[in-house]
Amino acid sequence: MSFENLSIGRIIIHEVFRRDEDREEKAPSYGEGRLELPQEARIALQKRITEALGASSHGLEMTISDVGQESAWAMGKGVIASQGNDGSFVTYSQRIAAKLAAAQFSRSIPGGIVVVIDGMCGNPARSFMCIIKAEACGGFTKKQEGAQLTLEYLSELILTPQSKLYKIGAFLRVDPEAATAEAPTAGWKAFIFDDQISRGSRATAAQYFYERFLGLKFPSNSAFQTKQFFSLTRDFIRNAEVSPEKKVELLNALSTYLKADQTTTVRSATFAESYFDTPDIKDAYTAHMRNSGFPENAVHKDISEVGGQLKVRKIIFSKDMKFTAPADGFSDMVQIETIDGEPREDGATTKWTRITVKDHIRNQE
Amino acid sequence: MNESDVRTLWEQEKPLYEAWGSFVREKLNEAIAQAIAPEELSYFLKIPAIPRTKALKSLIDKALYRGKKYEDPYRDITDKVGIRYVVLLVSQIETVCQAISREDYQEFWTFSKDKDFEAEREAHPLEFVYQSVHYVLKSKPGQAFNGVNLPAGLACEIQVRTLLQHAHSELTHDTLYKPKATAKPAVHRTVAKSMALIEATDEFFDEAMRKLHTENEEHTQVLETLSTIYQSGVEETPGREPSNALIIDALTEFLPVDFNQQIGAFYAEKSYIFQRIKEHREISHLFTQPAILLAYFLAEHSPARLKAAWPLEEAALETAFSDLGRSYDD
């Protein structure tokens, strides 16, 4: 798991600004030296990173597409290579801030604080660096003035747990030996956390950050992974120890989650949280997915390879009896319930299924 | 022998008896503390063990005016200095007895049981009279304490009793149990009844403790395993606070069958966690308790159930998840 054992090394911040009325770039305000933070603050910062990018998070693994000298990846590489050289660390981080300012081409993109961090993570530990763009919000803190308990307003709080106010890009050097001249990013991994990507319809709004700034692309195997998610989840539901009605409900949910849901990512923990009732079955499902090799993190949703299976729902009985219906609107048009059937000759009880179709018969073969 | 003989002798010898009492107390307390570790001696002994020398008045009274026939009144009285050991349970009396009879202590003293309460009860099962275990420890030649040389033959009485026996004894002290002839039968009966109840209650206490121990066996074993891993990994003494019991109780149903093996393998692989715990110890009390190891282990194996069942505040759990590189919230 990539982000376990995370320890923060060096930290520096800069500020980037929203574009002027004339759409001119405003120069960033640069920090000149490293920050020293007390342990409590470091742990809070660590938690923001693991919460955003760790296992079971909404963070996405991406492919590095921009590898030129001025690319974010090259600057990230420079940060990691600058161990022991604080001057170099500061310079690279300033270049990163400048690149973000350049990428924020639209007036609608707000300014914010750019936090550049390097450190180690993983077991065994590996070098990583990350860039956090944090937008400020207002908040209150309590103050004791003599005997009076009062509120103080802080207008520029950053990095509160409110995750839609920060974006994180991270580069991990998983294997220092793997890089070659032809494949300079071999052995490197890139991750992004951006609420605008996860929560869907504003994916294009997020492009300035992950594409223009960080030079990243969605992995090419998203379609395959989405299909894998579908198959593995469907298998689990089929074999789960729940009532047949519940299975129908869950398969409907799976279809909805992949097709209708506005999110642009697919994540087993989200599906578990939303559709399974008890902690027991949630854990069983996440364990099933993990043991089958499906990533715990979010995956970019691409239903191009699974669309066909999502179109039709099929309920199968013995003796070759089948009921098929389009997945769209299935739960609205079809009602399925398990009922007690007539007992068999030997006295054993039977279970039958009652299917109610909210329509009259149009045609037969 | 007359009063002034007794007085003279006692004035001369009292410091020796005091020293002998202190010597015995030191040795016995040391032995008991070793035997009960890590439990605290100050908790085990319900009343501090303090050697008390007999008041001159009582000595004279006992030697000459009690109607007891002593050969050598001064010498024969064995409680000129005495120490009382008061424990909670009958089963704990044995711990004190074992301290007295330790192999390596036999170079210091000879000991004999004066009034063994088991023997008393067996001999007179219907009479639930004064209950206690009495030993007399007599010094062997060559002992010294705080620079005072101790002659051989100094006697120190050791009384060992349960807290309930002590309560009873305080109530009936001196007046009732010795002069058999003078106490009214009705009083005797009342005292005998109360003594019988005390003995029954002592037994119930013992039984309750034993039952609690077996029920807690599984939890105790889990705590043992965790404490061992904590000690060797974090290299600090694991805490023994009740928060451990609270956490283990809440999570015990989620532990796999081969728990010991799995948790050993988990911490062998992720040994970086120990360094994390060391750092968090400074800020957060929960990380000084070995039960926190369960949080890390279950965060990996059953995160949803762990989050649902965790009995304490979330902050510690969030930190554990973060150390493992896992996101906590949904």
Side-chain angles (χ1 to χ4, degrees), chain B residues 231-266:
Chain B
Q231 173 78 58
S232 77
V234 182
E235 289 168 348
E236 299 275 357
T237 316
R240 301 191 74 88
E241 301 299 323
S243 48
N244 284 310
L246 193 62
I247 295 173
I248 295 177
D249 262 349
L251 302 178
T252 193
E253 57 182 298
F254 308 130
L255 299 181
V257 173
D258 56 345
F259 169 68
N260 284 358
Q261 203 191 351
Q262 280 204 29
I263 198 166
F266 178 75

Side-chain angles (χ1 to χ4, degrees), chain A residues 220 222-224 226-227 264 266 300-306:
Chain A
S220 51
S222 305
F224 170 74
T226 309
K227 182 165 148 197
T264 53
V266 153
H300 183 59
K301 188 197 287 186
D302 180 348
I303 57 171
S304 50
E305 282 180 34
V306 80

Side-chain angles (χ1 to χ4, degrees), chain A residues 4 6 50-51 55 280 296, chain B residues 272 276 305 322 325-326 329:
Chain A
E4 63 183 329
L6 190 125
T50 56
E51 202 59 27
D280 279 351
E296 281 187 89
Chain B
Y272 65 83
R276 297 281 155 154
R305 284 175 289 179
S322 179
R326 295 193 141 266
D329 260 333

Side-chain angles (χ1 to χ4, degrees), chain B residues 95-310:
Chain B
T95 310
V96 182
C97 299
Q98 279 176 355
I100 293 173
S101 59
R102 255 171 72 142
E103 279 279 350
D104 53 338
Y105 282 179
Q106 301 320 304
E107 70 173 272
F108 303 136
W109 55 62
T110 58
F111 72 91
S112 54
K113 271 194 182 176
D114 251 5
K115 246 181 160 196
D116 183 10
F117 80 151
E118 309 276 2
E120 275 288 293
R121 234 191 310 178
E122 272 185 48
H124 308 279
L126 298 179
E127 266 185 43
F128 293 87
V129 194
Y130 182 74
Q131 302 286 316
S132 204
V133 180
H134 284 215
Y135 285 93
V136 175
L137 271 54
K138 287 201 174 125
S139 60
K140 279 191 174 162
Q143 308 309 317
F145 184 79
N146 268 358
V148 179
N149 279 331
L150 301 170
L154 292 174
C156 174
E157 183 182 78
I158 308 288
Q159 282 180 14
V160 196
R161 2 161 118 154
T162 67
L163 197 52
L164 283 176
Q165 288 171 1
H166 183 62
H168 179 272
S169 169
E170 295 281 273
L171 193 68
T172 60
H173 185 63
D174 256 346
T175 43
L176 289 170
Y177 81 100
K178 283 169 187 160
K180 284 191 226 182
T182 52
K184 293 209 178 80
V187 176
H188 258 300
R189 273 184 64 78
T190 310
V191 167
K193 279 190 291 191
S194 75
M195 195 59 227
L197 269 179
I198 282 175
E199 194 175 308
T201 310
D202 263 342
E203 263 178 44
F204 291 144
F205 270 14
D206 243 1
E207 195 183 310
M209 285 302 270
R210 259 181 294 121
K211 285 205 170 136
L212 280 174
H213 271 137
T214 27
E215 266 173 28
N216 281 338
E217 189 93 23
E218 204 191 299
H219 293 196
T220 315
Q221 276 177 358
V222 169
L223 184 56
E224 276 309 302
T225 308
L226 296 175
S227 299
T228 312
I229 298 177
Y230 191 94
Q231 173 78 58
S232 77
V234 182
E235 289 168 348
E236 299 275 357
T237 316
R240 301 191 74 88
E241 301 299 323
S243 48
N244 284 310
L246 193 62
I247 295 173
I248 295 177
D249 262 349
L251 302 178
T252 193
E253 57 182 298
F254 308 130
L255 299 181
V257 173
D258 56 345
F259 169 68
N260 284 358
Q261 203 191 351
Q262 280 204 29
I263 198 166
F266 178 75
Y267 280 102
E269 193 200 326
K270 296 191 191 286
S271 53
Y272 65 83
I273 294 177
F274 297 127
Q275 183 56 35
R276 297 281 155 154
I277 294 178
K278 263 203 197 125
E279 287 164 13
H280 298 318
R281 276 172 65 99
E282 316 282 320
I283 311 184
S284 171
H285 166 79
L286 264 184
F287 287 84
T288 61
Q289 306 300 313
I292 198 72
L293 296 174
L294 266 189
Y296 283 96
F297 175 71
L298 287 175
E300 194 70 6
H301 289 81
S302 332
R305 284 175 289 179
L306 173 62
K307 283 195 273 189
W310 182 253

Side-chain angles (χ1 to χ4, degrees), chain A residues 203-245:
Chain A
T204 43
Q207 249 184 331
Y208 84 89
F209 193 77
Y210 76 80
E211 204 177 290
R212 283 193 102 186
F213 170 49
L214 292 173
L216 305 176
K217 271 194 159 59
F218 291 113
S220 51
N221 65 344
S222 305
F224 170 74
Q225 285 194 311
T226 309
K227 182 165 148 197
Q228 223 199 350
F229 173 82
F230 174 78
S231 313
L232 290 171
T233 306
R234 187 187 53 182
D235 286 342
F236 178 80
I237 294 172
R238 276 185 186 158
N239 297 324
E241 281 173 16
V242 293
S243 68
E245 284 96 338

Side-chain angles (χ1 to χ4, degrees), chain B residues 7-23 51 53-54 74 80-81 144-151 154:
Chain B
R7 182 178 297 122
T8 320
L9 267 176
W10 188 228
E11 270 164 21
Q12 267 179 355
E13 295 196 332
K14 193 162 163 186
L16 296 175
Y17 278 92
E18 277 168 356
W20 175 232
S22 300
F23 179 90
T53 44
K54 217 167 177 65
Y74 181 80
K80 293 197 285 292
V81 68
F145 184 79
N146 268 358
V148 179
N149 279 331
L150 301 170
L154 292 174

Side-chain angles (χ1 to χ4, degrees), chain A residues 97-348:
Chain A
K99 190 165 172 73
L100 176 59
Q104 299 197 165
F105 62 93
S106 161
R107 276 219 67 213
S108 63
I109 300 174
I113 301 289
V114 177
V115 189
V116 177
I117 294 171
D118 76 356
M120 307 285 280
C121 64
N123 182 34
R126 309 221 145 70
S127 300
F128 90 101
M129 66 83 62
C130 72
I131 305 156
I132 308 180
K133 181 201 170 187
E135 288 160 35
C137 66
F140 294 87
T141 176
K142 77 168 179 19
K143 258 177 62 170
Q144 189 85 32
E145 277 176 6
Q148 174 83 325
L149 199 56
T150 176
L151 283 179
E152 187 183 317
Y153 179 67
L154 298 171
S155 61
E156 289 198 71
L157 285 171
I158 58 165
L159 289 177
T160 65
Q162 207 182 348
S163 55
K164 70 179 175 79
L165 290 179
Y166 55 89
K167 304 182 189 311
I168 310 185
F171 293 104
L172 264 75
R173 192 179 62 182
V174 177
D175 186 353
E177 313 294 318
T180 63
E182 299 87 37
T185 59
W188 285 84
K189 282 195 182 189
F191 293 85
I192 184 134
F193 170 80
D194 187 344
D195 211 61
Q196 284 178 319
I197 297 180
S198 333
R199 282 174 212 272
S201 44
R202 313 213 55 225
T204 43
Q207 249 184 331
Y208 84 89
F209 193 77
Y210 76 80
E211 204 177 290
R212 283 193 102 186
F213 170 49
L214 292 173
L216 305 176
K217 271 194 159 59
F218 291 113
S220 51
N221 65 344
S222 305
F224 170 74
Q225 285 194 311
T226 309
K227 182 165 148 197
Q228 223 199 350
F229 173 82
F230 174 78
S231 313
L232 290 171
T233 306
R234 187 187 53 182
D235 286 342
F236 178 80
I237 294 172
R238 276 185 186 158
N239 297 324
E241 281 173 16
V242 293
S243 68
E245 284 96 338
K246 186 72 184 166
K247 288 190 192 184
V248 171
E249 204 183 296
L250 287 171
L251 287 172
N252 287 349
L254 177 57
S255 185
T256 308
Y257 182 62
L258 286 178
K259 264 193 95 178
D261 210 334
Q262 286 302 309
T263 60
T264 53
T265 56
V266 153
R267 180 172 164 260
S268 36
T270 305
F271 189 78
E273 251 336 285
S274 314
Y275 300 112
F276 291 117
D277 302 321
T278 65
D280 279 351
I281 196 172
K282 282 178 204 182
D283 275 339
Y285 171 67
T286 47
H288 166 83
M289 297 303 273
R290 189 174 54 211
N291 294 339
S292 311
F294 192 78
E296 281 187 89
N297 288 28
V299 157
H300 183 59
K301 188 197 287 186
D302 180 348
I303 57 171
S304 50
E305 282 180 34
V306 80
Q309 285 169 298
L310 285 177
K311 285 214 175 86
V312 177
R313 294 271 281 108
K314 211 191 269 188
I315 319 261
I316 300 171
F317 303 89
S318 62
K319 300 205 177 54
D320 228 359
M321 292 189 283
K322 296 187 184 86
F323 175 81
T324 61
D328 261 342
F330 183 84
S331 42
D332 295 325
M333 294 294 291
V334 182
Q335 205 181 351
I336 301 192
E337 17 165 11
T338 315
I339 56 176
D340 285 327
E342 284 165 15
R344 291 210 301 257
E345 276 166 10
D346 58 4

